[in-house]
Amino acid sequence: MKKIFYISFLKRLNIREYIFVYKFLVDKSNELSSDIESEDFTKILALMNSHIPLLDRVAMKERTNKLTASIASLHEDRVKAYSGFKNIVKGHVNSMDADIKNHALVLQEWITSYAPLMNTKKHLVITSCLEELSIVLTSNVKIGAAVVALRVGDVLNWLVKCNEEYIKLWKQRSELISSYKIDKIDNMEVIKTTSKDLELLINNLALQYTTKPSSCEELVMEFATMSSKIRADVLRTKTLRKKKKDENNNLGNGGNVDKDNENNLSLKTIDYASKSPSNANDDFAKEIMTKARAASEKAGKAVSQDLKGDTAADSKSESSSSDEVSKAI
């Protein structure tokens, strides 16, 4: 029987993708396992369900980490924008135009009064100062006129919006932190624990399918389909990374592309794909094989001769790949 699901490919996903797939498989198992008469399957599924709260905490942790990065970026942006605003005003203070100079002095007075606070570089202090600036812009007639005269309205409006977005994300992160204990979770340990139980469920499901296919055929198809999607995504990502790495290496070599190596790789890909039935039936593999054949036709007979010395190395590589897949569940 063909394997239902390859755990090895699932483990290569990032943590958020892993959580999505795990919860999807648990939901489908809860939905489609009513005809499975196995006490072991029921116990394993219950154990998998018990991991969902932990995975939700991991997801919250990852979201919090992302928010932290965004918050830091927004803070840097608003500090730079405020520095630019100060420089514009400082330049106008020395203007020969008396009207422009007077307007600049109005803004300079505000900047000077808030300088001790803005120079602290403390996030919350700067946030408070910029909130007050947004109020002043709409309530103080003299400052409003100065902003118009010096044409710094766009800069200040962007600065205010940047600060508002900062506050929004900061509040979201604070709510997440207060709702979940997200600072003491080992993602790798979570993956190790949950994937082990998923492996037990898959093994039991395979046994059920062998003894009574009608009881779990739809569920098996859901597992197999998801596994195929994951496998294709992982291999596609791997291919794109290699392509980018090769392009960077070529740029480092002065932009010279080694066509012989490129065509050698294409021929090896054809050879490997043709020997692997699972690859030959895979849309992704078909795409690779098509491109590889097109590239190899341009290589000519000389390329084939160059490949003879690589036969032993290719065999060893295929053996390693086979060992890895054989360990997958």
Side-chain angles (χ1 to χ4, degrees):
M1 173 184 169
K2 185 179 179 180
K3 289 186 180 298
I4 295 174
F5 196 93
Y6 289 88
I7 290 288
S8 60
F9 286 103
L10 176 63
K11 290 181 178 180
R12 297 186 199 180
L13 300 178
N14 66 50
I15 186 64
R16 293 189 68 84
E17 292 173 323
Y18 176 89
I19 292 172
F20 173 83
V21 173
Y22 183 94
K23 293 174 71 173
F24 172 83
L25 296 176
V26 170
D27 287 342
K28 286 299 178 182
S29 297
N30 289 329
E31 177 186 349
L32 303 174
S33 61
S34 58
D35 293 334
I36 297 178
E37 299 175 356
S38 169
E39 186 177 345
D40 288 339
F41 183 91
T42 302
K43 288 181 179 179
I44 298 170
L45 181 56
L47 186 59
M48 290 185 64
N49 276 286
S50 70
H51 292 315
I52 299 299
L54 176 61
L55 292 174
D56 287 338
R57 286 176 58 200
V58 173
M60 288 296 180
K61 174 187 173 184
E62 293 305 307
R63 185 181 172 193
T64 303
N65 291 341
K66 186 175 181 180
L67 287 175
T68 298
S70 298
I71 288 170
S73 178
L74 283 169
H75 177 67
E76 184 179 350
D77 288 344
R78 65 185 184 172
V79 168
K80 289 180 179 178
Y82 185 75
S83 178
F85 162 65
K86 289 195 303 179
N87 290 335
I88 293 172
V89 173
K90 183 177 180 180
H92 286 310
V93 167
N94 299 317
S95 174
M96 298 300 292
D97 186 317
D99 189 44
I100 292 295
K101 182 175 182 177
N102 289 333
H103 283 304
L105 288 173
V106 170
L107 295 180
Q108 184 63 41
E109 183 180 356
W110 188 93
I111 292 172
T112 301
S113 65
Y114 277 84
L117 296 174
M118 293 296 293
N119 291 339
T120 62
K121 297 183 179 180
K122 293 182 178 180
H123 284 222
L124 297 184
V125 173
I126 291 176
T127 301
S128 178
C129 290
L130 294 180
E131 277 190 301
E132 291 181 26
L133 174 60
S134 66
I135 295 173
V136 168
L137 289 174
T138 57
S139 62
N140 189 305
V141 176
K142 289 179 66 176
I143 288 181
V147 168
V148 173
L150 301 184
R151 298 181 180 179
V152 292
D154 289 343
V155 174
L156 291 178
N157 285 334
W158 186 88
L159 182 58
V160 169
K161 288 181 180 179
C162 186
N163 193 54
E164 290 174 348
E165 183 65 18
Y166 175 96
I167 295 171
K168 177 183 175 182
L169 296 185
W170 187 88
K171 288 180 177 179
Q172 287 180 10
R173 187 182 64 174
S174 297
E175 290 173 0
L176 289 174
I177 292 175
S178 63
S179 301
Y180 291 84
K181 295 179 180 179
I182 56 177
D183 56 339
K184 296 182 179 179
I185 302 176
D186 185 340
N187 288 357
M188 295 305 296
E189 189 63 30
V190 170
I191 291 176
K192 180 180 178 181
T193 301
T194 55
S195 63
K196 180 180 178 181
D197 292 336
L198 177 58
E199 181 178 345
L200 291 175
L201 188 79
I202 292 169
N203 288 339
N204 191 277
L205 184 60
L207 178 62
Q208 299 301 320
Y209 189 76
T210 301
T211 57
K212 191 178 178 182
S214 60
S215 67
C216 57
E217 187 171 7
E218 187 175 356
L219 182 57
V220 167
M221 285 299 299
E222 291 285 356
F223 270 73
T225 300
M226 177 58 75
S227 183
S228 178
K229 290 179 180 178
I230 294 171
R231 180 178 178 276
D233 287 342
V234 168
L235 292 177
R236 187 176 294 109
T237 300
K238 182 178 179 181
T239 300
L240 292 174
R241 284 176 180 170
K242 186 180 185 309
K243 180 180 179 181
K244 186 174 182 63
K245 182 178 179 181
D246 290 342
E247 289 175 351
N248 291 337
N249 289 338
N250 289 331
L251 289 174
N253 293 327
N256 294 323
V257 180
D258 190 339
K259 292 296 183 181
D260 287 340
N261 288 340
E262 180 179 304
N263 288 319
N264 286 349
L265 176 63
S266 298
L267 289 177
K268 291 177 186 178
T269 306
I270 290 176
D271 182 55
Y272 176 77
S274 63
K275 293 178 181 178
S276 174
S278 60
N279 280 2
N281 293 327
D282 190 290
D283 290 340
F284 175 70
K286 290 180 180 178
E287 179 182 348
I288 292 296
M289 289 174 65
T290 301
K291 293 181 179 179
R293 288 195 178 96
S296 66
E297 289 175 0
K298 299 179 181 179
K301 296 182 180 180
V303 176
S304 298
Q305 295 176 353
D306 290 337
L307 282 174
K308 292 181 179 179
D310 293 332
T311 303
D314 288 346
S315 299
K316 183 177 181 181
S317 175
E318 286 185 38
S319 177
S320 299
S321 298
S322 299
D323 290 340
E324 180 184 354
V325 172
S326 66
K327 295 177 182 178
I329 300 300

Short mmCIF file of all heavy atoms in Angstrom, two decimals, residues 84-108 146-152:
data_model
loop_
_atom_site.label_atom_id
_atom_site.label_comp_id
_atom_site.label_asym_id
_atom_site.label_seq_id
_atom_site.Cartn_x
_atom_site.Cartn_y
_atom_site.Cartn_z
N GLY A 84 13.79 64.28 10.22
CA GLY A 84 13.68 65.02 8.97
C GLY A 84 12.87 66.29 9.12
O GLY A 84 13.23 67.35 8.60
N PHE A 85 11.78 66.20 9.89
CA PHE A 85 10.93 67.36 10.17
C PHE A 85 11.74 68.44 10.89
O PHE A 85 11.68 69.63 10.55
CB PHE A 85 9.73 66.92 11.01
CG PHE A 85 9.01 68.02 11.71
CD1 PHE A 85 8.34 69.01 10.99
CD2 PHE A 85 8.98 68.09 13.10
CE1 PHE A 85 7.66 70.04 11.64
CE2 PHE A 85 8.32 69.10 13.75
CZ PHE A 85 7.65 70.08 13.03
N LYS A 86 12.52 68.05 11.90
CA LYS A 86 13.34 69.01 12.65
C LYS A 86 14.35 69.70 11.74
O LYS A 86 14.58 70.91 11.85
CB LYS A 86 14.08 68.31 13.79
CG LYS A 86 13.21 67.87 14.94
CD LYS A 86 14.05 67.52 16.18
CE LYS A 86 15.08 66.45 15.90
NZ LYS A 86 15.88 66.15 17.09
N ASN A 87 14.96 68.94 10.84
CA ASN A 87 15.97 69.52 9.94
C ASN A 87 15.35 70.55 8.98
O ASN A 87 15.96 71.57 8.66
CB ASN A 87 16.65 68.41 9.14
CG ASN A 87 17.55 67.55 10.00
OD1 ASN A 87 18.04 68.00 11.04
ND2 ASN A 87 17.78 66.31 9.58
N ILE A 88 14.12 70.24 8.52
CA ILE A 88 13.43 71.18 7.64
C ILE A 88 13.17 72.50 8.37
O ILE A 88 13.43 73.60 7.85
CB ILE A 88 12.11 70.58 7.13
CG1 ILE A 88 12.38 69.39 6.21
CG2 ILE A 88 11.29 71.64 6.37
CD1 ILE A 88 11.12 68.63 5.81
N VAL A 89 12.66 72.37 9.58
CA VAL A 89 12.36 73.57 10.38
C VAL A 89 13.64 74.35 10.68
O VAL A 89 13.67 75.59 10.57
CB VAL A 89 11.65 73.17 11.69
CG1 VAL A 89 11.49 74.40 12.60
CG2 VAL A 89 10.29 72.55 11.40
N LYS A 90 14.69 73.63 11.04
CA LYS A 90 15.97 74.27 11.35
C LYS A 90 16.49 75.05 10.15
O LYS A 90 17.03 76.15 10.29
CB LYS A 90 16.98 73.21 11.76
CG LYS A 90 18.33 73.78 12.19
CD LYS A 90 19.25 72.67 12.64
CE LYS A 90 20.61 73.23 13.07
NZ LYS A 90 21.53 72.15 13.52
N GLY A 91 16.31 74.51 8.95
CA GLY A 91 16.76 75.19 7.75
C GLY A 91 15.98 76.48 7.51
O GLY A 91 16.55 77.50 7.11
N HIS A 92 14.67 76.44 7.79
CA HIS A 92 13.83 77.62 7.57
C HIS A 92 14.06 78.70 8.63
O HIS A 92 13.75 79.89 8.39
CB HIS A 92 12.36 77.23 7.54
CG HIS A 92 11.95 76.53 6.29
ND1 HIS A 92 12.24 77.01 5.03
CD2 HIS A 92 11.26 75.36 6.09
CE1 HIS A 92 11.75 76.19 4.11
NE2 HIS A 92 11.15 75.18 4.74
N VAL A 93 14.55 78.33 9.79
CA VAL A 93 14.84 79.31 10.84
C VAL A 93 15.87 80.34 10.35
O VAL A 93 15.84 81.50 10.76
CB VAL A 93 15.33 78.61 12.12
CG1 VAL A 93 15.93 79.61 13.10
CG2 VAL A 93 14.17 77.87 12.79
N ASN A 94 16.75 79.90 9.49
CA ASN A 94 17.79 80.78 8.96
C ASN A 94 17.39 81.44 7.63
O ASN A 94 18.24 81.99 6.93
CB ASN A 94 19.09 80.00 8.77
CG ASN A 94 19.60 79.42 10.08
OD1 ASN A 94 19.58 80.10 11.10
ND2 ASN A 94 20.07 78.17 10.04
N SER A 95 16.10 81.33 7.29
CA SER A 95 15.63 81.89 6.02
C SER A 95 15.73 83.42 6.02
O SER A 95 15.55 84.09 7.05
CB SER A 95 14.17 81.48 5.77
OG SER A 95 13.66 82.10 4.63
N MET A 96 16.02 83.96 4.83
CA MET A 96 16.07 85.42 4.65
C MET A 96 14.67 86.01 4.55
O MET A 96 14.49 87.21 4.71
CB MET A 96 16.87 85.75 3.39
CG MET A 96 18.32 85.29 3.43
SD MET A 96 19.24 86.04 4.78
CE MET A 96 19.28 87.75 4.23
N ASP A 97 13.68 85.15 4.30
CA ASP A 97 12.29 85.59 4.23
C ASP A 97 11.75 85.68 5.66
O ASP A 97 11.65 84.68 6.37
CB ASP A 97 11.47 84.59 3.42
CG ASP A 97 10.04 85.04 3.16
OD1 ASP A 97 9.42 85.55 4.11
OD2 ASP A 97 9.57 84.86 2.03
N ALA A 98 11.41 86.89 6.08
CA ALA A 98 10.99 87.12 7.46
C ALA A 98 9.74 86.33 7.82
O ALA A 98 9.63 85.79 8.94
CB ALA A 98 10.74 88.62 7.68
N ASP A 99 8.80 86.22 6.88
CA ASP A 99 7.55 85.49 7.14
C ASP A 99 7.83 84.01 7.36
O ASP A 99 7.32 83.40 8.31
CB ASP A 99 6.58 85.70 5.98
CG ASP A 99 5.20 85.16 6.29
OD1 ASP A 99 4.71 85.40 7.42
OD2 ASP A 99 4.61 84.47 5.44
N ILE A 100 8.65 83.46 6.48
CA ILE A 100 9.01 82.04 6.59
C ILE A 100 9.77 81.80 7.90
O ILE A 100 9.54 80.81 8.61
CB ILE A 100 9.86 81.58 5.39
CG1 ILE A 100 9.03 81.60 4.10
CG2 ILE A 100 10.45 80.20 5.63
CD1 ILE A 100 7.90 80.60 4.10
N LYS A 101 10.67 82.69 8.23
CA LYS A 101 11.46 82.56 9.45
C LYS A 101 10.56 82.57 10.69
O LYS A 101 10.75 81.77 11.62
CB LYS A 101 12.47 83.69 9.53
CG LYS A 101 13.37 83.62 10.77
CD LYS A 101 14.43 84.69 10.73
CE LYS A 101 15.36 84.58 11.94
NZ LYS A 101 16.45 85.58 11.92
N ASN A 102 9.57 83.48 10.71
CA ASN A 102 8.67 83.56 11.86
C ASN A 102 7.85 82.28 12.03
O ASN A 102 7.64 81.79 13.15
CB ASN A 102 7.74 84.77 11.70
CG ASN A 102 8.47 86.08 11.88
OD1 ASN A 102 9.49 86.14 12.59
ND2 ASN A 102 7.96 87.14 11.26
N HIS A 103 7.39 81.73 10.92
CA HIS A 103 6.64 80.46 10.99
C HIS A 103 7.54 79.32 11.48
O HIS A 103 7.11 78.47 12.27
CB HIS A 103 6.08 80.11 9.60
CG HIS A 103 4.87 80.89 9.23
ND1 HIS A 103 3.73 80.91 10.00
CD2 HIS A 103 4.61 81.68 8.14
CE1 HIS A 103 2.82 81.67 9.42
NE2 HIS A 103 3.33 82.16 8.29
N ALA A 104 8.79 79.35 11.02
CA ALA A 104 9.74 78.32 11.45
C ALA A 104 10.02 78.42 12.94
O ALA A 104 10.15 77.40 13.64
CB ALA A 104 11.04 78.45 10.65
N LEU A 105 10.08 79.64 13.46
CA LEU A 105 10.33 79.83 14.89
C LEU A 105 9.18 79.31 15.74
O LEU A 105 9.39 78.83 16.86
CB LEU A 105 10.57 81.32 15.17
CG LEU A 105 11.91 81.88 14.67
CD1 LEU A 105 11.96 83.39 14.84
CD2 LEU A 105 13.08 81.21 15.38
N VAL A 106 7.96 79.37 15.20
CA VAL A 106 6.80 78.82 15.91
C VAL A 106 6.95 77.31 16.10
O VAL A 106 6.74 76.77 17.20
CB VAL A 106 5.49 79.14 15.15
CG1 VAL A 106 4.31 78.37 15.77
CG2 VAL A 106 5.21 80.63 15.18
N LEU A 107 7.32 76.64 15.03
CA LEU A 107 7.52 75.18 15.11
C LEU A 107 8.76 74.84 15.92
O LEU A 107 8.78 73.83 16.64
CB LEU A 107 7.62 74.59 13.70
CG LEU A 107 6.36 74.69 12.84
CD1 LEU A 107 6.59 74.07 11.47
CD2 LEU A 107 5.17 74.03 13.53
N GLN A 108 9.79 75.67 15.80
CA GLN A 108 11.01 75.42 16.55
C GLN A 108 10.77 75.49 18.05
O GLN A 108 11.37 74.75 18.84
CB GLN A 108 12.09 76.45 16.15
CG GLN A 108 13.45 76.22 16.80
CD GLN A 108 14.07 74.90 16.38
OE1 GLN A 108 14.01 74.52 15.22
NE2 GLN A 108 14.66 74.20 17.35
N ALA A 146 1.82 77.65 10.42
CA ALA A 146 3.25 77.44 10.18
C ALA A 146 3.49 76.18 9.35
O ALA A 146 4.34 76.14 8.46
CB ALA A 146 4.00 77.36 11.51
N VAL A 147 2.72 75.16 9.64
CA VAL A 147 2.83 73.89 8.89
C VAL A 147 2.51 74.11 7.42
O VAL A 147 3.19 73.60 6.52
CB VAL A 147 1.90 72.82 9.50
CG1 VAL A 147 1.79 71.62 8.56
CG2 VAL A 147 2.41 72.39 10.85
N VAL A 148 1.46 74.90 7.17
CA VAL A 148 1.06 75.19 5.79
C VAL A 148 2.12 76.03 5.09
O VAL A 148 2.50 75.76 3.95
CB VAL A 148 -0.30 75.91 5.76
CG1 VAL A 148 -0.63 76.36 4.34
CG2 VAL A 148 -1.40 75.00 6.30
N ALA A 149 2.61 77.06 5.78
CA ALA A 149 3.59 77.97 5.19
C ALA A 149 4.89 77.26 4.85
O ALA A 149 5.51 77.53 3.81
CB ALA A 149 3.86 79.13 6.15
N LEU A 150 5.31 76.34 5.69
CA LEU A 150 6.59 75.64 5.46
C LEU A 150 6.40 74.36 4.65
O LEU A 150 7.38 73.65 4.37
CB LEU A 150 7.25 75.30 6.80
CG LEU A 150 7.57 76.48 7.72
CD1 LEU A 150 8.32 76.01 8.96
CD2 LEU A 150 8.38 77.53 6.99
N ARG A 151 5.16 74.05 4.32
CA ARG A 151 4.85 72.87 3.49
C ARG A 151 5.38 71.56 4.10
O ARG A 151 5.98 70.73 3.42
CB ARG A 151 5.41 73.06 2.08
CG ARG A 151 4.80 74.24 1.34
CD ARG A 151 5.37 74.37 -0.06
NE ARG A 151 4.78 75.51 -0.77
CZ ARG A 151 5.11 75.87 -2.00
NH1 ARG A 151 6.04 75.17 -2.67
NH2 ARG A 151 4.54 76.91 -2.58
N VAL A 152 5.16 71.40 5.38
CA VAL A 152 5.58 70.17 6.06
C VAL A 152 4.37 69.34 6.48
O VAL A 152 4.48 68.41 7.28
CB VAL A 152 6.46 70.49 7.29
CG1 VAL A 152 7.79 71.07 6.86
CG2 VAL A 152 5.72 71.43 8.24
#
